């Protein structure tokens, strides 16, 4: 099993979710995060003093998937989250050791 | 000695009426805070600073423009019933001698108090607009429009009735301005919304309606209560006199009816929402209160309290249907201003016929049509010019990012909001 | 000429008193916003929309019910000192002739202004209840109770004193309603809370007390300030006359004493909290302010400002101990309404004896016992009937999810709150 | 009969003036809520409860101290133009006989109403300070200072002008207290800020200025509107009489000018910010409003509305530059209180010369220098004593954690805030 | 060492924490997340327009544990977070490469 | 490639970011979390009732890095986040399977 963790632009969430559902991903977990990277922050002025907000709001979308879905899933995210502008984010892939569904105690693939 | 006593009576009565005007004006000024809180509660957090700025700014612009030219257009000399005259700044106050001259036309309260009371009305008309165009209109274009509306458009149509123009002659009856203030504001708002288009994401590709919930409903509720309170000044002060028994009774009637109409509007709005949607939608209760208030504003002095309640309740039902209908027509009005002040304003003007024998259907319809047509068309032209020149809408990326950072460089709640998920 | 002067004096005096009533009523109406903000700041965010809806709704229901029947029960004709009469709607205003007749019984201010002032009092009594039952009571059951309390229960016990019933005859002295309004509201609240039970999770299995912090303390503070301000109308208007030197002095005394009692309540509440808990608990300061206000309400006209401060300070200390005690008894009152309005209300009624020579211990005790017993029992019965029929409490899952989504379909702060961790 | 009529005229006039005082005082009391909301919106969420507590507490302390000793210091008997007398508590009200005696010196409104009006002024002066020392000063040290300022320092300098002391004799002209109230508050605030030092993290190691955005800008905006409204009482009530034509006209002028100055301050502040920073910084618009209000306070009765607007606008420009300058000097004033009330207060006192022929440059300068020097030095000494004894600043770790948990044991928004990232 | 990441219903946090402490887990880190899965979202109405909120609030509870605690830890979470109703969540297990305590520079098991 | 996940005290964020940039880490992602560990919570009183807030606000700083940067990165965080007082937090290291930049479809090292 694989664990996909994608950092995306927040307004792409709906597209990404739709794309993932389409390829057969059954569940996902989303976290609000702040990202720092090549995309630069914007300048704010508060009462005359300027400052840069370096961190940009991003979403982290995580999904556990069976190995065979890896390729399709990555392409799906890639396409759905793409704008071509800097700051689009990244997809990270991890090995997932085990997975259990709390409700049923199913484990492994059945629990995804 | 008799003379001195009579003079002192005049002095006291002048003082009481002036004080009453000032208290009323103070309450109407407070409505600016009400609109501000209402609107800032009903937009998303990323557009909150901008709506705050617009509201504080528009009130200020209204005061300045009305002082410079608006008051004189509305209440100055003119030989035509359609075209008001023009002159600048507001002249001084009544002399003691004039007041004590005691004839029928002797002034019975301070001229400057009158200006103060009138100026806060202008701001109300303009406040109506800011809610409807929220979350997408450029700040400085909005302010430019405010200059024109409060300095020229409102004073002209106000002159037609309150300045003694042709609508007054036609018998158009509009006690505190369901039409002159509220419908006028809503007409200008409608023109703006039609040119602006809906907020991005409000209507889906298949035409479906995506709700965009307001970020802070306690503020919206507070705003409604402030407006309710301020309305006692808005309607109560429009009797223009309190210093004798009949006037005092009339003012009392106006207070009580204003309160009852709002209360009935809340109940009607909540029940309608519960029946239609299966939920007691608070925002409909709040819009119901405002609808009740707008509905009674055209004639709060003549109905009984029961009738006032009914007029308010009809307003409360109407506003729910109107909001839902406008949404289906893809007219995107984030706070429901066009429904509350426009649709219900019309209802209020017609409801005058229920209890005021002096009002005529012809007169009321004339007022509705003339005010709507003039303000709508004049505003549309101004908005169009702004659109072609400086532009009226921020670009899509800015809209997504939020008006606050782009226009004001600030966040309303910098510590609280992340990127809202699933909203 | 003399006659005309006398008449004009009457007219002016009538106008001033009416205006004073209207300003007072406007301020009391504003208290509805105060309760709303206070309560919405002291509940969790997931129950905020519902408490807002309850407050806007109850004020509106109170106005309508009091117009339909309540006012007449309370102030109408009756031959029994215990049972008021019944009739519907509020009749018109005083005629000029009646006023100018000038006798002792001639009306000296507008009847409708009186209604307006009275109607906002009813809403206050009902507002007290919404806070105590917050975060678990069904919305529409609450509204049904509001219909009964504001239409029947409150008017009956109000009649006993202010309508000229038996408590008035017994010499019960309650200037602006520490008992008639505040204790009455708290009694109905207590009945409700006993039947409802505490919020889930408030008391642990071992009986330990789990605090459930309010979501928005600036709102709670704003609410307290609004109530403080509104109280000038509540107490100040209860002198019922301002138009001569003695009345004006009395009203001034009432304003100053009301302010001093609240100030002393804050200081006492904060110091008590600091000593007891080692922290300057803001919510105790706020409750202290309200306690000071409730305490002075039974007699703000007779004490000196120093005594008024002392009465308020005792209220501020009392309220802290009362809140802690009720919590130990597992009587769950999220905003402390029973302590502020009930326990301190009783203190206020007894404190009248310190400065008002006309008041008697017997009279005061009679009032306390009768009002508490009647309102508590009557309310209990109504709550019981509601419980057996439509139910008064949402089910556990809904309570966990929050009243807002379940009852109103909205979130108060949709962009800000996640699932709060460790709260 | 003539006599009775004259007496009744006196009674009515006394009643009207007293009522006017009470309404004005009520509005000034409301300013306490304004300062509270303004300040709680401009600090970070972790210091919000503490600023709320400070504001509620300081208002209460001001009331108590002014009753105990302050009022008598300020308005009591004294044989020296520099040193006021001392006595305790406030004596009773005017007798009917005194009022009806009718001579020039006969009291024409309630003494207690006067106390009520004056007491809320003291609180305003103290409110100014809490904002400037926000987010780092110990709660109870602040309260101790409040005891001294409201009980002694303010009454002494107030005596110099309003109590008939030497500044009055020098012709110092300060209608409602640009100097006596606002500059005084700002002087005490400056003394405190200099001793306290800036908030940790406000100025970087290289001297760069790190903005610390306020947590809740809608609250700050609400606070500004409340202050604006309350200022009608602050300035409007300072005419001290409304019951004849000239007074009523003067009060009306004061209302209108107060409103115009604030409006012009907003516009000037926003435009200045837009030009300087490229953004319509809302907080500068709000400070502009307050600057306009402070600027006009020294003489709202004499200028025309146009001149009042100009005076306000200059205030609005000045405040932006002042805030930026103080920040460069590393004088850390989170809400801009020193700029708004101090710098602009001085401007307001000088602006009196533009329209009031009775005012002299010498008189105004004397007032500015004496008030600033006395209040600054006296406050500095008190702050120093507090610093050496109980301490005035929380330690660094507590400051990082936030004042709320440390001092009050509460969080303002327990459900909303995490550890803000990148702020 | 293992890294456990459990998605649970928010109101189960206290139970899970207690259970984990009981089996000897010394520290944990909790994140507010939004979950999408079999459990369907609820319908909301805002001013007459209906919409589905697909994402449900969940908590992610993460703990680094020594290998030998894996079995016990999983059972503890399983039991404590279980309601039997849909949406109970999942437990994911990862291989943890290294762990260092910042305060002491202890590494590996000692740092858990 | 490695995945570093560090739990730190919130006010150390700026120091950590600066230190990471200095050693050549190009991007990072920050999440607000609540931590439970040896550091005990503080006592609060609300209306007379005392309670302990066990969870302390922390930040989770995550970065994908090439293997060769591991040592330097860990030392950088270690130093920058260190106060020596309890609750300083931990650094966790995971094996990262794959990484793709959404904007460019670059993969592996180039995508970091
Ligand atoms: N090495 C990294 N480790 C963890 N997160 C990263 C890393 N690089 C980038 N990110 C995340 O991806 C987001 C986008 O990266 P950025 O460099 O701004 O643009 P792009 O994705 O176009 O290269 C960042 O805001 C950050 O949240
Ligand atoms: N494949 C997955 N990857 C990541 N998170 C998942 C996955 N499946 C479920 N989840 C998380 O677990 C939560 C519960 O899952 P759900 O399918 O709704 O119910 P159940 O746990 O009863 O099967 C989801 O809200 C989501 O946060
Ligand atoms: N075993 C663990 N698994 C996950 N997170 C942990 C673990 N131990 C500690 N943490 C995180 O590190 C933070 C600090 O740990 P703590 O034990 O309080 O202090 P210290 O880091 O000084 O040992 C905790 O608040 C928690 O977020």
């Amino acid at each position: 099993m694989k664990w996909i963790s994608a950092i995306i632009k927040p307004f792409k969430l709906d597209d990404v979710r739709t794309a993932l559902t389409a390829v057969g991903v059954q569940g996902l977990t989303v976290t609000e995060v702040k990202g720092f990277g090549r995309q630069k922050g914007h300048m704010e002025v508060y009462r005359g003093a300027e400052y840069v907000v370096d961190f940009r709001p991003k979403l982290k979308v995580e999904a556990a998937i069976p190995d065979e879905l890896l390729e399709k899933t990555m392409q799906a995210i890639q396409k759905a989250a793409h704008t071509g502008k800097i700051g689009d984010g990244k997809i990270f892939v991890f090995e997932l050791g085990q997975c259990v569904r709390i409700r049923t105690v199913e484990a492994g693939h059945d629990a995804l | 000695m008799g003379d001195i006593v009579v003079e002192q009576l005049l002095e006291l009565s002048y003082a009481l009426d002036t004080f009453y005007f000032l208290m009323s004006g103070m309450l109407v000024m407070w409505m600016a805070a009400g609109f501000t809180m209402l609107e800032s509660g009903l937009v998303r957090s990323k557009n909150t600073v901008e709506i705050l700025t617009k509201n504080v700014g528009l009130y200020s612009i209204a005061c300045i423009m009305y002082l410079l030219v608006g008051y004189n257009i509305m209440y100055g000399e003119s030989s035509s019933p359609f075209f008001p005259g023009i002159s600048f700044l507001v002249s001084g106050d009544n002399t003691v001698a004039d007041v004590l001259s005691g004839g029928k036309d002797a002034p019975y309260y301070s001229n400057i108090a009158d200006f103060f009371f009138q100026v806060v009305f202008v701001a109300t008309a303009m406040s109506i607009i800011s809610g409807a165009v929220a979350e997408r209109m450029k700040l400085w274009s909005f302010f430019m429009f405010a200059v024109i509306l409060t300095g020229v458009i409102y004073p002209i149509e106000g002159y037609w009735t309150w300045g003694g123009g042709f609508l007054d002659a036609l018998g158009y009856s509009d006690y505190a301005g369901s039409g002159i203030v509220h419908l006028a504001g809503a007409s200008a708002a409608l023109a703006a919304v039609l040119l602006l288009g809906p907020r991005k994401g409000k209507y889906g590709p298949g035409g479906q309606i995506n709700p965009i919930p307001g970020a802070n409903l306690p503020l919206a509720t507070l705003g409604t209560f402030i407006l309710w309170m301020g309305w006692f000044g808005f309607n109560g002060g429009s009797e223009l006199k309190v210093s004798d028994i009949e006037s005092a009774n009339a003012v009392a009637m106006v207070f009580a009816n204003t309160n009852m109409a709002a209360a009935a509007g809340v109940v009607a709005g909540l029940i309608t929402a519960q029946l239609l949607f299966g939920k007691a939608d608070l925002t409909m209760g709040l819009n119901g209160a405002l609808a009740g208030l707008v509905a009674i504003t055209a004639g709060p002095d003549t109905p009984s309290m029961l009738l006032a309640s009914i007029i308010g309740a009809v307003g409360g039902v109407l506003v729910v249907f109107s909001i839902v209908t406008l949404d289906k027509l893809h007219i995107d009005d984030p706070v429901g201003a066009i429904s509350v002040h426009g649709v219900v304003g019309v209802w209020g003007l017609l409801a005058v016929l229920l209890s005021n024998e002096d009002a005529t259907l012809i007169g009321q319809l004339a007022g509705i049509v003339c005010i709507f047509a003039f303000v709508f068309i004049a505003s549309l032209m101004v908005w169009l010019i702004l659109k072609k020149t400086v532009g009226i809408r921020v670009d899509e990326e800015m809209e997504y990012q939020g008006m606050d950072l782009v226009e004001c460089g600030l966040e309303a709640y910098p510590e609280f909001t992340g990127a809202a998920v699933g909203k």
Side-chain angles (χ1 to χ4, degrees), chain A, chain B:
Chain A
M1 291 175 297
K2 291 285 183 291
W3 179 260
I4 308 272
S5 174
I7 311 291
I8 62 168
K9 289 189 169 161
F11 72 104
K12 283 294 192 179
L13 177 64
D14 269 344
D15 295 344
V16 170
R17 193 203 43 190
T18 313
L20 286 176
T21 318
V23 299
V25 176
Q26 304 252 7
L28 42 91
T29 298
V30 181
T31 315
E32 296 175 6
V33 299
K34 304 269 174 165
F36 174 80
R38 281 168 185 75
Q39 184 188 15
K40 284 303 153 238
H42 55 275
M43 194 69 117
E44 297 194 16
V45 200
Y46 182 77
R47 298 171 79 62
E50 296 190 334
Y51 64 116
V52 183
V53 176
D54 281 322
F55 290 90
R56 320 244 2 166
K58 302 278 172 192
L59 293 181
K60 185 202 270 184
V61 179
E62 293 172 308
I65 53 166
D67 293 323
E68 59 273 18
L69 266 187
L70 180 60
E71 198 68 357
K72 278 214 270 177
T73 306
M74 289 191 62
Q75 273 162 16
I77 299 178
Q78 174 75 47
K79 245 184 87 183
H82 187 264
T83 69
K85 294 213 203 114
I86 199 158
D88 271 358
K90 315 245 155 117
I91 311 173
F92 302 107
V93 184
F94 300 83
E95 202 57 43
L96 175 60
Q98 182 54 290
C99 169
V100 180
R101 186 192 308 277
I102 293 174
R103 174 163 49 96
T104 57
V105 211
E106 288 161 288
H109 278 208
D110 300 337
L112 293 181
Chain B
M1 176 186 141
D3 265 13
I4 293 185
V5 165
V6 170
E7 286 187 358
Q8 285 194 346
L9 277 168
L10 276 174
E11 298 241 2
L12 261 181
S13 149
Y14 183 95
L16 178 57
D17 279 327
T18 298
F19 185 53
Y20 149 81
F21 259 83
L22 294 174
M23 287 291 107
S24 299
M26 174 271 287
L27 286 171
V28 187
M29 174 268 157
W30 183 223
M31 289 173 71
F35 281 110
T36 309
M37 292 300 110
L38 177 68
E39 294 173 14
S40 72
L42 290 179
V43 299
R44 283 166 292 178
S45 59
K46 66 179 175 181
N47 298 319
T48 302
V49 172
E50 203 251 6
I51 203 86
L52 296 169
T53 310
K54 274 186 183 159
N55 272 280
V56 179
L58 77 86
Y59 178 84
S60 303
I61 289 172
C63 291
I64 292 173
M65 288 311 299
Y66 204 63
L67 170 66
L68 289 182
V69 60
Y71 184 72
N72 282 8
I73 291 181
M74 192 152 160
Y75 292 104
E77 303 284 299
S78 166
S79 47
S80 152
F82 298 97
F83 303 103
I86 185 159
S87 61
F88 300 94
L89 292 171
V90 176
S91 53
D93 221 323
N94 311 306
T95 63
V96 174
D98 275 359
V99 177
L100 295 186
S101 72
K104 271 233 155 157
D105 295 334
Y108 67 92
Y109 67 97
S110 155
N111 202 22
I112 300 290
D114 185 68
F115 170 77
F116 176 65
F117 184 64
Q118 299 296 342
V119 77
V120 287
F121 269 62
V122 198
T124 300
M126 190 64 214
S127 290
I128 293 166
I129 306 170
S130 60
V133 302
E135 307 206 87
R136 57 211 193 278
M137 178 175 276
K138 283 188 179 174
L139 180 69
W140 291 99
S141 306
F142 177 83
F143 283 159
M144 286 178 210
F145 182 80
V147 167
I148 307 295
L149 184 104
T150 62
V152 183
I153 299 177
Y154 171 86
I156 291 179
E157 60 95 11
Y159 165 74
W160 293 346
T161 310
W162 290 340
F166 78 99
L167 281 178
D168 190 39
L170 275 176
Y172 169 63
S173 173
D174 190 1
Y175 186 86
S178 285
I180 299 165
V181 179
H182 294 278
L183 175 57
S187 307
L190 181 63
V193 168
L194 292 179
L195 283 184
L196 260 185
R199 288 167 290 173
K200 204 180 140 34
K202 172 68 192 172
Y203 303 110
Q208 89 273 14
I209 300 167
N210 300 318
I212 302 183
N216 197 329
L217 295 191
L219 282 193
T221 309
L222 175 65
T224 304
F225 271 118
I226 293 176
L227 287 168
W228 193 325
M229 180 189 185
W231 228 286
F232 292 124
F234 195 90
N235 285 356
S238 294
E239 182 63 26
L240 308 181
K241 191 170 178 56
V242 75
S243 64
D244 55 46
I245 297 172
E246 285 194 18
S247 304
N249 281 348
V251 175
M253 198 72 232
V254 169
F255 268 68
N257 279 344
T258 300
N259 190 55
M260 290 312 304
V266 168
V267 172
L270 278 180
I271 292 179
T272 309
Q274 181 74 40
L275 296 179
L276 287 187
F277 319 134
K279 300 277 176 181
D281 183 331
L282 168 67
T283 67
M284 289 302 187
L286 301 180
N287 278 159
L290 300 179
L293 291 164
V294 171
I296 202 64
T297 291
D301 53 339
T302 46
S304 70
M305 286 195 272
L306 188 64
L307 181 55
S309 307
I310 293 168
I311 292 172
V314 173
V317 174
L318 215 55
V319 81
V320 179
F321 283 97
S322 173
I323 286 170
V324 172
T325 307
L326 287 189
D327 227 6
K328 287 202 184 120
L329 297 173
H330 289 200
I331 294 176
D332 181 21
D333 175 358
V335 306
I338 298 170
S339 300
V340 167
H341 302 274
V343 174
V344 178
V346 170
W347 156 240
L349 288 168
L350 297 176
V352 172
L353 299 167
L354 298 176
S355 64
N356 185 338
E357 291 169 12
D358 297 339
T360 63
L361 182 59
I362 296 292
Q364 298 308 87
L365 290 179
I368 293 168
V369 170
C370 293
I371 292 172
F372 173 75
F374 170 68
V375 178
F376 181 79
I377 293 169
S379 300
L380 199 70
M381 282 164 43
V382 177
W383 288 123
L384 261 174
I385 293 171
L386 289 171
K387 189 169 178 174
K388 297 291 170 205
T389 52
V390 288
I392 58 175
R393 185 159 180 158
V394 295
D395 72 34
E396 204 174 293
E397 174 140 6
M398 287 176 177
E399 189 177 338
Y400 181 76
Q401 205 190 329
M403 312 284 286
D404 291 2
L405 288 176
V406 175
E407 299 265 33
C408 307
L410 296 172
E411 290 173 68
Y413 313 99
E415 300 181 37
F416 306 155
T417 41
V421 176
K423 292 285 165 195

